[in-house]
Amino acid sequence: MLNVVIFGPPGSGKGTQSEKIIAKYGFAHISTGDILRQEIKEQTELGKQAKAFIDKGELVPDATIIDMLEKKLESLTTAQGVIFDGFPRTVDQAGALKKMLRKRGEDVNVMLNLEVQREELIQRLLKRGEVSGRSDDNLETIEKRIRVYEEQTAPVIEFYKAEGSYHAILGEGAIDDIFGRISSAIENAQ
Ligand code: ADP
């Protein structure tokens, strides 16, 4: 069982690369962003609360996200591995994930940090906004999300460096070249 965290700023390609990892390795996928968007679509209580944060480009509170993640993890049937996409996004979430996995006798095996320059992130997200219909893919919210990433999420990098599972991945260039770098990191950990 391999637990992989795919990490990086908004627009770094976590979702795109997750799909390729799933196709190649058959891992289960947990994307907190996707779960939240589904809750919003279904107009659940959680979805209503989350929408206000997402539309402002802010993080949904840790307690809500951690509870949601734990339920999702419990509902997973056995897979060869799990890919965590968009989680953890704060150091507290990283600590909570470690605790949850420890209860199952597991840990995060690989943390992949997709590194992409700020200008490239903004261009990608603006382009995605033209087709995604996502309420948070507009310039003002994109800039806010990148600021929130730098302040609240980037410290997670130090957490995984200390854990010894950290891998920096160049997230620019051709999608397949990026995936090649990711595959090497995953296979070296297996
Ligand atoms: P992106 O990486 O492009 O920002 P996501 O789909 O991962 O896209 O996240 C969209 C939004 O959902 C975030 O801006 C945030 O408001 C909320 N969100 C997703 N995951 C988390 C999380 N782990 N903790 C807090 N908020 C989250």
Side-chain angles (χ1 to χ4, degrees):
M1 180 75 174
L2 206 72
N3 292 302
V4 178
V5 168
I6 189 155
F7 183 90
S12 56
K14 301 183 292 287
T16 304
Q17 295 297 333
S18 291
E19 281 176 25
K20 297 182 80 71
I21 295 171
I22 295 154
K24 181 167 179 183
Y25 299 103
F27 289 179
H29 184 211
I30 302 186
S31 159
T32 44
D34 286 352
I35 301 172
L36 292 169
R37 280 184 289 276
Q38 188 60 32
E39 296 277 344
I40 292 171
K41 212 168 128 194
E42 290 169 9
Q43 300 187 327
T44 64
E45 200 47 48
L46 170 60
K48 283 179 202 159
Q49 286 171 17
K51 188 174 179 359
F53 293 99
I54 292 175
D55 286 352
K56 280 189 285 183
E58 291 173 6
L59 296 184
V60 175
D62 279 344
T64 309
I65 292 287
I66 291 165
D67 185 53
M68 186 179 95
L69 196 284
E70 189 153 31
K71 287 193 182 112
K72 180 74 188 178
L73 198 57
E74 279 163 10
S75 76
L76 275 192
T77 46
T78 42
Q80 282 161 303
V82 180
I83 173 133
F84 295 90
D85 165 5
F87 179 94
R89 245 181 169 90
T90 63
V91 172
D92 281 353
Q93 290 181 16
L97 178 60
K98 187 163 180 71
K99 262 173 108 174
M100 276 181 235
L101 291 176
R102 193 191 289 140
K103 278 193 223 156
R104 306 154 71 103
E106 296 172 22
D107 201 352
V108 169
N109 304 95
V110 188
M111 188 273 208
L112 304 166
N113 180 25
L114 290 174
E115 295 182 321
V116 179
Q117 302 275 326
R118 183 189 156 87
E119 265 320 298
E120 167 92 12
L121 297 173
I122 295 174
Q123 290 316 314
R124 287 185 188 179
L125 290 169
L126 285 174
K127 208 169 143 206
R128 183 173 77 184
E130 291 169 12
V131 288
S132 69
R134 268 178 58 165
S135 54
D136 56 349
D137 282 345
N138 60 77
L139 186 58
E140 191 188 344
T141 314
I142 289 167
E143 287 181 335
K144 176 72 187 283
R145 280 155 64 203
I146 294 174
R147 241 183 358 260
V148 167
Y149 167 82
E150 283 161 0
E151 288 166 11
Q152 300 183 53
T153 305
V156 171
I157 292 170
E158 295 309 315
F159 181 95
Y160 286 105
K161 279 187 178 166
E163 291 282 312
S165 49
Y166 178 83
H167 289 73
I169 302 284
L170 175 62
E172 295 183 5
I175 289 177
D176 285 338
D177 292 342
I178 300 166
F179 184 59
R181 295 191 274 276
I182 288 178
S183 296
S184 303
I186 291 177
E187 282 161 29
N188 284 334
Q190 269 173 333

